[in-house]
Amino acid sequence: MTPERFDAVIVGAGFGGIGAAIQLKRMGIEDFVLLDREDDLGGTWYVNHYPGLAVDVPTTTYSYFFEPNPNWSRLFSTGDEIKQYADDVADKYGVRKHIRFNTTVEGARWDEDAKVWRIALADGDTLTALYLITATGFLSQPKTPEIAGITDFAGKIIHTTDWDDSYDPQGRRVAIIGTGATAVQLIPELAKKAADLTVYQRTPIWVVPKLDFRISERMKRMFARVPLAQRAVRAVTDAIYEFFIYVGLHHRQFLFRRLNIGASDVAKLHRFISIRDPELRRKLTPDYDFGCKRPTFSNSYYRIFTKPHVHLQADGIDHVEPDGIVNNDGTKTVIDTLVLATGFDLWEANFPAIEVIGREGRNLGKWWRENRFQAYQGVSVPYFPNYLSLASPYAFLGLNFFNTMEYQMRHMDRLFGELKRRKATTFEITEDANARYLERMTELIGDSVFTVGNCATARSYYFNPQGEATLLRPMPTRTAIKEASKYPLTDYQIA
Ligand code: NAP
């Protein structure tokens, strides 16, 4: 059977894939398919539906630049509203008809003779595409901890990415492993109902207060009628947010270092106001710099540990038994439910999320591991013609995914615009341009908290297994957007 052929295949129907699809349509490319292993769109906002799920940056900044959403009900909107926004955008821009659900991609291989990608699906089918775009997200491969005895646990075990909506924690004895952004949202919700809740913390997280409020109906109507007003609010929240990223990341300059300390002081004060017990406060205090690891917002997290039925276990786990957890301090916590808020495997399973083989048999994952993680402007890699990897090293601009998406769409716009102008069909980033970009990123990271700060104990997923902070693109959104709109076209070989 002849494989189905498309101009483009996009892998992943989250906000990254939807954005890429909209960009292709803008360029007049309609012959494409979006593949997703799930049975609905929205990526992380479809997969995650644990209690308490909400965006942890202000929603005023959380939308595509070209599609402000006047319907957010709060400054920090809930997960179902964000999923709704994904549905609305996909429908409005005619993306849904391009999506194939329940379709798992195994891998893709560049066919040098035919100058196309061959995309292998789990069901045995192969698709052919001129262009391949992977939009598999940064946090899409759940991590299950390897703890002795965990498979023998006889009670209920739930990973936060696979929440069982029928599960009711009412009256249950629950343990949760992890204290990342997900756990910070989920723990207060579990504590409302569980009879007993033990939180297993390996590394404390920086938590600052969440200045959340309802967006009134009047305000929503105003945003719908005058989109400019909403853009103005976004400009303000974007500026505040960029400022915090700068404070968080840029460390070498005296002012930024002082501001970074100021941010950790806010978290310290927050802890002090929430918790009277100095020993409990000490256990919840990070010993690494603010910004080494993603900080989070919550008004209830610290306070919840003062409840008599909520316990912090910071001594670690020795092993799991069928009815509970034996702690490193020799005590045993008897539980009936084990919640894994253990996050995602970025570096081993996600870069890349599928096997990608480029020119001369170069295997992307292997090459990244053997030659440092790298991607020109967070999208292109030499020896991978006609391929854009949106979830790449040095791609993510920090707290907000949509800022990343904006520069990536502009990058596509410039690249595909040039292909069209030259009536060309192939592109590949040059080794020289890629090397220059990597050198610049290395230099910028050299100035950041990741290099000059105290991050040794953070266990942050911003760092790859070699200890290099190769996840974030260390520059303001404005600069990344400018670069995406102006990069030298000679950086690509176009034919
Ligand atoms: P995470 O930040 O990676 O946290 C995972 C937690 O599990 C950490 O506390 C980690 O401890 C712990 N852990 C992992 N393996 C363990 C083991 N073997 N033993 C003990 N503890 C273990 O994952 P996450 O909380 O799911 O958050 C990931 C990211 O998702 C966030 O940083 C944020 O960017 C995003 N997020 C966004 C939202 C939102 O916008 N609404 C909400 C939630 C999450 P260590 O730190 O010691 O490794």
Side-chain angles (χ1 to χ4, degrees):
M1 202 174 83
T2 322
E4 273 186 285
R5 191 202 177 283
F6 298 93
D7 283 346
V9 164
I10 302 171
V11 184
F15 280 121
I18 294 170
I22 293 171
Q23 188 58 44
L24 288 180
K25 285 166 138 330
R26 282 178 178 166
M27 310 300 300
I29 301 174
E30 285 287 342
D31 178 27
F32 69 88
V33 67
L34 239 152
L35 309 174
D36 201 291
R37 65 189 177 189
E38 303 294 336
D39 59 4
D40 200 353
L41 59 79
T44 194
W45 295 104
Y46 173 62
V47 170
N48 284 284
H49 44 90
Y50 57 81
L53 176 68
V55 69
D56 64 358
V57 295
T59 19
T60 44
T61 78
Y62 205 74
S63 59
Y64 292 109
F65 280 33
F66 58 88
E67 191 57 38
N69 179 15
N71 303 321
W72 302 130
S73 67
R74 308 192 65 82
L75 187 60
F76 290 85
S77 291
T78 55
D80 48 357
E81 281 187 34
I82 299 158
K83 166 71 174 92
Q84 185 60 52
Y85 174 67
D87 285 334
D88 294 347
V89 174
D91 289 336
K92 177 168 173 184
Y93 289 85
V95 173
R96 198 183 286 270
K97 64 173 188 266
H98 294 270
I99 307 180
R100 278 190 201 172
F101 294 115
N102 300 310
T103 307
T104 301
V105 177
E106 300 264 279
R109 178 181 285 273
W110 175 250
D111 179 336
E112 183 61 21
D113 296 330
K115 302 242 178 302
V116 290
W117 283 96
R118 309 276 182 205
I119 295 124
L121 308 182
D123 66 6
D125 271 1
T126 303
L127 308 181
T128 294
L130 186 52
Y131 303 113
L132 172 67
I133 301 172
T134 47
T136 42
F138 297 98
L139 303 163
S140 57
Q141 313 296 333
K143 185 164 81 184
T144 307
E146 284 172 20
I147 298 173
I150 198 163
T151 50
D152 299 330
F153 182 63
K156 185 153 183 81
I157 185 157
I158 324 177
H159 195 285
T160 52
T161 56
D162 190 21
W163 195 260
D164 175 357
D165 292 325
S166 68
Y167 170 74
D168 183 3
Q170 187 69 48
R172 303 289 201 113
R173 297 183 62 85
V174 183
I176 178 167
I177 303 178
T179 51
T182 298
V184 167
Q185 293 182 339
L186 177 59
I187 287 166
E189 295 302 313
L190 289 174
K192 281 181 194 163
K193 291 182 152 191
D196 192 84
L197 175 67
T198 305
V199 177
Y200 283 85
Q201 169 191 274
R202 188 163 65 182
T203 310
I205 185 168
W206 285 106
V207 183
V208 292
K210 188 171 182 175
L211 303 171
D212 195 10
F213 54 80
R214 281 193 77 75
I215 298 175
S216 68
E217 290 305 314
R218 218 169 113 203
M219 189 81 113
K220 284 197 225 169
R221 279 198 301 276
M222 203 255 287
F223 284 158
R225 267 203 306 267
V226 193
L228 209 62
Q230 191 167 20
R231 287 185 195 276
V233 173
R234 178 178 189 152
V236 174
T237 41
D238 269 3
I240 296 171
Y241 146 86
E242 287 286 349
F243 175 76
F244 277 112
I245 296 206
Y246 248 67
V247 167
L249 295 190
H250 291 267
H251 225 55
R252 196 157 278 176
Q253 288 157 14
F254 178 76
L255 173 67
F256 286 129
R257 215 169 46 241
R258 297 312 306 166
L259 287 168
N260 182 286
I261 293 168
S264 48
D265 283 344
V266 171
K268 195 171 169 182
L269 186 65
H270 184 38
R271 258 193 322 274
F272 184 77
I273 292 169
S274 310
I275 301 169
R276 303 278 15 115
D277 175 0
E279 179 56 16
L280 181 58
R281 273 205 308 268
R282 187 190 62 74
K283 284 187 181 170
L284 288 163
T285 303
D287 63 354
Y288 55 87
D289 284 348
F290 191 91
C292 291
K293 176 175 204 149
R294 161 91 178 218
T296 192
F297 300 93
S298 175
N299 296 332
S300 47
Y301 179 70
Y302 283 143
R303 216 178 286 276
I304 214 74
F305 290 100
T306 63
K307 304 267 180 211
H309 70 298
V310 180
H311 322 285
L312 179 67
Q313 175 53 259
D315 288 323
I317 298 170
D318 184 73
H319 68 277
V320 177
E321 293 186 346
D323 61 342
I325 299 179
V326 177
N327 308 311
N328 277 339
D329 61 11
T331 59
K332 178 168 173 182
T333 310
V334 174
I335 54 167
D336 54 52
T337 307
L338 177 57
V339 177
L340 303 177
T342 43
F344 302 87
D345 189 345
L346 268 85
W347 298 104
E348 295 305 331
N350 205 59
F351 281 132
I354 58 165
E355 182 176 70
V356 184
I357 313 274
R359 216 157 42 76
E360 296 183 19
R362 182 175 282 185
N363 179 313
L364 183 57
K366 199 161 173 276
W367 186 74
W368 269 340
R369 277 156 192 83
E370 289 170 0
N371 296 276
R372 298 178 65 195
F373 286 90
Q374 53 196 287
Y376 174 79
Q377 296 213 7
V379 291
S380 289
V381 188
Y383 281 71
F384 292 86
N386 290 8
Y387 174 50
L388 296 174
S389 165
L390 305 189
S392 274
Y394 294 122
F396 186 40
L397 279 176
L399 295 171
N400 187 343
F401 184 78
F402 288 102
N403 296 27
T404 303
M405 209 45 227
E406 179 66 18
Y407 89 70
Q408 294 190 325
M409 288 174 76
R410 288 189 194 218
H411 193 107
M412 286 174 67
D413 186 61
R414 184 163 170 77
L415 180 58
F416 285 98
E418 184 63 5
L419 287 167
K420 205 167 167 183
R421 202 179 61 77
R422 292 207 217 164
K423 297 191 173 40
T425 51
T426 59
F427 66 83
E428 184 183 327
I429 196 65
T430 65
E431 291 199 84
D432 181 52
N434 177 63
R436 271 186 280 116
Y437 181 79
L438 176 61
E439 198 178 319
R440 224 176 100 237
M441 291 304 101
T442 309
E443 204 175 298
L444 288 172
I445 286 287
D447 252 352
S448 73
V449 68
F450 305 127
T451 310
V452 292
N454 166 26
C455 291
T457 54
R459 283 180 180 270
S460 165
Y461 66 74
Y462 292 161
F463 291 82
N464 67 31
Q466 288 75 41
E468 277 190 298
T470 48
L471 181 66
L472 299 188
R473 185 172 177 167
M475 60 179 61
T477 305
R478 228 171 348 108
T479 313
I481 287 179
K482 209 158 99 194
E483 288 186 2
S485 316
K486 285 195 169 165
Y487 59 86
L489 288 162
T490 48
D491 282 357
Y492 279 100
Q493 278 179 315
I494 293 176

